[in-house]
Amino acid sequence: MNKETTTQHISHRFDEELAAAKGQLFEMGGIVETQVSNAIQALLELDSKLAKSVVKKDQIINSMEISIDEDCALILARRQPAASDLRLVLTIIKTTTDLERVGDEANKMAKQAINLAEEGMSPKGHIEIRHIGQRVTKMLRDSLDCLVRQDIQLALKVAQEDKAVDLEYGTAIRELVTYMMEDPRSISRVMNIMWSLRALERIGDHARNIAEHVIYLVQGDDVRHMGLEKMAEKVQQS
Amino acid sequence: MNKETTTQHISHRFDEELAAAKGQLFEMGGIVETQVSNAIQALLELDSKLAKSVVKKDQIINSMEISIDEDCALILARRQPAASDLRLVLTIIKTTTDLERVGDEANKMAKQAINLAEEGMSPKGHIEIRHIGQRVTKMLRDSLDCLVRQDIQLALKVAQEDKAVDLEYGTAIRELVTYMMEDPRSISRVMNIMWSLRALERIGDHARNIAEHVIYLVQGDDVRHMGLEKMAEKVQQS
């Protein structure tokens, strides 16, 4: 084998390894999405069986995080990627962390669903869970889509949507606090809804983080903590 | 300059760059520690001036995260480290993420302190904030110490302490829910304490994450999601 063939061979293996890591990440993303949808459904329908399956499945996500991280460390050690390949590996590492934490939040929601299935539905908060749940599920899907398609316009939309969700979350929490004061007997059940809303709000934050990683991947600009207006400028410039 | 001198020169520059990134990380850790202590103090003393200074200082932590990440990406691209040097760079990248999120939690606590300074102290929860606050502050300090000293025994202790804090947190939350039912007028103020306790519990999780990164750095074992017993075995084996 001459030198050029060897180089091509190595480069081909490298591309394969990168593609495999990306593939695993998207698979992890798909599982995490399902976990979030199932946790929301379990909460809305007080389905403790579904909730328990979410809790059980969290281990799979944890193992995937470790496995993807290991693959990325190997790629860095063996292939020593530079420029956009390096950014891709770093993006994969950061995105798995966010996805694993989204999985944690789904797990927490599922536990609240199990509590509520025992205590009975909260008299208030059903609509808020469904509504914010839908928005956040879409954000998460969009954040993974913009990673697949390297679509920074969509990434910007995810970040903008996060701000809207935060505002809606704040309103929902204030309403629930008011409700608890009027009906103290419901406090324990309403608290389950509050913790679940908090989990949804956190999932929105992670979706935004993933979207920000995508902008870094595509443009090389670190747009974290930048504020939405500046971020929009950066994305428009490209 | 002959070849050997050039290699030594490059290796020396590399060590310097790594040391600089580590130094920045420890500086960030120190600032984050102070932010957490100040947020707890602001909560306990209803000191809204101190709380506002915590909120303001969060930006510094955010900038440090971006700057350290950038330095690490440059080190990876230029120096292509392997083995323990690579693990160190990956550990720094992961630890900055955790530290930034600890900063976020301190920021959230400071905002609750500002609310409480307006509404008046919660009739319940002062002791819990002080007690869990002390434990978590120590965990955070220990997690940074074990990184400085590469002390995996201390890292294991931090992980064990996290479990104890989680249990204590659960008890505190249940007591506060009971209290709110008995005194619904206090709900809004007690909620500020609950969110603050949640922030402390999350800080404990991040301290544990940092401790786990240290075990990976020193031993090369990824001990996340492993359970404390297995983790202890791994650490003892070394």
Side-chain angles (χ1 to χ4, degrees):
Chain A
M1 210 157 33
N2 64 29
K3 201 182 160 194
E4 203 175 315
T5 322
T6 315
T7 313
Q8 280 176 356
H9 187 68
I10 288 174
S11 145
H12 181 64
R13 289 266 313 265
F14 171 53
D15 288 344
E16 274 181 359
E17 285 174 13
L18 257 186
K22 243 165 78 175
Q24 268 209 77
L25 181 73
F26 294 144
E27 196 190 331
M28 183 181 181
I31 295 172
V32 169
E33 265 187 64
T34 308
Q35 288 281 88
V36 172
S37 306
N38 285 346
I40 294 170
Q41 196 188 328
L43 261 173
L44 292 174
E45 297 172 6
L46 300 191
D47 184 341
S48 67
K49 203 180 148 195
L50 183 60
K52 280 171 191 163
S53 80
V54 171
V55 172
K56 211 176 158 195
K57 222 174 179 177
D58 192 41
Q59 287 170 27
I60 297 174
I61 296 170
N62 295 342
S63 317
M64 291 191 88
E65 181 192 23
I66 289 178
S67 153
I68 296 171
D69 262 9
E70 211 180 333
D71 291 349
C72 286
L74 277 175
I75 292 175
L76 287 173
R78 283 198 209 137
R79 311 291 173 198
Q80 310 182 326
S84 70
D85 286 338
L86 175 60
R87 287 207 303 277
L88 176 57
V89 177
L90 291 174
T91 299
I92 294 174
I93 291 174
K94 294 205 171 238
T95 303
T96 48
T97 304
D98 280 301
L99 284 178
E100 190 272 332
R101 295 199 180 153
V102 172
D104 277 351
E105 300 297 339
N107 193 15
K108 285 178 196 169
M109 274 197 286
K111 285 176 180 167
Q112 304 299 333
I114 294 169
N115 289 343
L116 279 174
E118 278 173 23
E119 295 185 48
M121 189 53 196
S122 163
K124 179 101 183 145
H126 203 273
I127 295 167
E128 288 80 355
I129 291 285
R130 191 170 54 206
H131 187 69
I132 297 183
Q134 275 168 353
R135 289 186 87 160
V136 167
T137 312
K138 185 167 187 310
M139 278 179 74
L140 181 61
R141 192 184 317 123
D142 285 348
S143 74
L144 292 165
D145 272 1
C146 71
L147 182 57
V148 173
R149 296 190 262 134
Q150 307 217 349
D151 180 344
I152 54 175
Q153 300 297 337
L154 184 57
L156 180 62
K157 268 189 203 152
V158 171
Q160 287 163 338
E161 178 72 1
D162 183 44
K163 192 159 186 188
V165 166
D166 285 353
L167 289 173
E168 202 166 37
Y169 163 78
T171 307
I173 293 292
R174 278 190 298 279
E175 283 173 7
L176 290 172
V177 168
T178 307
Y179 187 87
M180 288 199 294
M181 289 195 264
E182 287 163 9
D183 181 14
R185 288 163 310 165
S186 69
I187 287 177
S188 171
R189 285 169 291 152
V190 176
M191 282 302 302
N192 287 307
I193 295 293
M194 292 237 232
W195 295 126
S196 301
L197 285 172
R198 175 64 149 224
L200 287 172
E201 186 264 335
R202 293 295 298 146
I203 293 171
D205 290 344
H206 289 295
R208 178 186 174 143
N209 291 346
I210 295 171
E212 290 174 347
H213 302 328
V214 174
I215 296 174
Y216 166 76
L217 171 64
V218 176
Q219 299 204 153
D221 291 315
D222 195 333
V223 295
R224 290 174 295 180
H225 319 300
M226 187 176 267
L228 287 173
E229 278 182 33
K230 265 196 168 175
M231 194 192 291
E233 275 172 35
K234 281 270 177 203
V235 170
Q236 299 324 336
Q237 277 164 12
S238 74
Chain B
M1 209 156 33
N2 63 29
K3 202 183 163 194
E4 202 175 315
T5 324
T6 314
T7 312
Q8 279 175 357
H9 187 68
I10 288 174
S11 145
H12 181 64
R13 288 267 312 268
F14 172 52
D15 288 343
E16 275 182 358
E17 284 174 13
L18 257 186
K22 241 164 81 174
Q24 267 208 79
L25 181 73
F26 294 142
E27 196 190 331
M28 183 182 181
I31 295 173
V32 169
E33 266 188 63
T34 308
Q35 288 281 89
V36 173
S37 307
N38 285 346
I40 294 170
Q41 196 187 328
L43 262 173
L44 293 174
E45 296 172 8
L46 299 191
D47 184 341
S48 66
K49 202 178 149 195
L50 184 61
K52 279 172 191 162
S53 80
V54 171
V55 173
K56 210 176 159 194
K57 223 174 179 178
D58 192 42
Q59 287 170 27
I60 298 174
I61 297 170
N62 295 342
S63 319
M64 291 191 88
E65 182 192 23
I66 289 177
S67 152
I68 295 171
D69 262 8
E70 210 178 334
D71 290 348
C72 286
L74 277 175
I75 292 175
L76 287 173
R78 283 198 209 137
R79 309 293 173 198
Q80 311 182 323
S84 70
D85 286 338
L86 175 59
R87 288 208 301 277
L88 177 58
V89 177
L90 291 174
T91 299
I92 293 174
I93 290 175
K94 294 203 171 239
T95 303
T96 49
T97 304
D98 281 300
L99 285 177
E100 190 272 333
R101 295 199 181 153
V102 172
D104 277 351
E105 300 297 339
N107 193 14
K108 285 178 195 169
M109 275 196 287
K111 285 175 181 167
Q112 304 299 333
I114 294 169
N115 290 343
L116 278 174
E118 278 173 23
E119 296 184 47
M121 189 52 194
S122 164
K124 179 101 182 145
H126 203 271
I127 295 168
E128 288 81 354
I129 291 285
R130 191 171 54 208
H131 187 68
I132 298 182
Q134 275 169 352
R135 289 186 86 160
V136 167
T137 312
K138 186 168 186 312
M139 277 179 74
L140 180 62
R141 192 184 317 121
D142 284 349
S143 73
L144 293 165
D145 272 1
C146 72
L147 182 57
V148 173
R149 296 190 261 134
Q150 308 218 348
D151 180 345
I152 54 174
Q153 299 296 336
L154 184 58
L156 179 63
K157 269 189 203 151
V158 171
Q160 287 162 338
E161 178 72 1
D162 183 44
K163 192 161 187 188
V165 166
D166 284 353
L167 288 172
E168 202 166 40
Y169 163 78
T171 308
I173 293 292
R174 279 190 298 278
E175 283 174 7
L176 290 172
V177 168
T178 307
Y179 187 88
M180 287 198 297
M181 290 195 263
E182 287 162 9
D183 182 13
R185 287 163 311 165
S186 69
I187 288 177
S188 170
R189 284 169 292 152
V190 176
M191 281 304 302
N192 287 306
I193 296 293
M194 292 240 234
W195 295 127
S196 302
L197 285 172
R198 173 66 148 223
L200 287 172
E201 186 265 336
R202 295 294 298 148
I203 293 171
D205 291 343
H206 289 294
R208 178 185 175 145
N209 292 347
I210 294 170
E212 290 174 346
H213 302 327
V214 174
I215 296 175
Y216 166 75
L217 171 64
V218 176
Q219 300 203 153
D221 293 315
D222 194 332
V223 297
R224 290 175 294 179
H225 318 300
M226 187 176 267
L228 286 174
E229 279 182 33
K230 266 197 169 174
M231 195 192 292
E233 275 172 34
K234 281 271 177 202
V235 169
Q236 300 323 337
Q237 277 164 13
S238 74

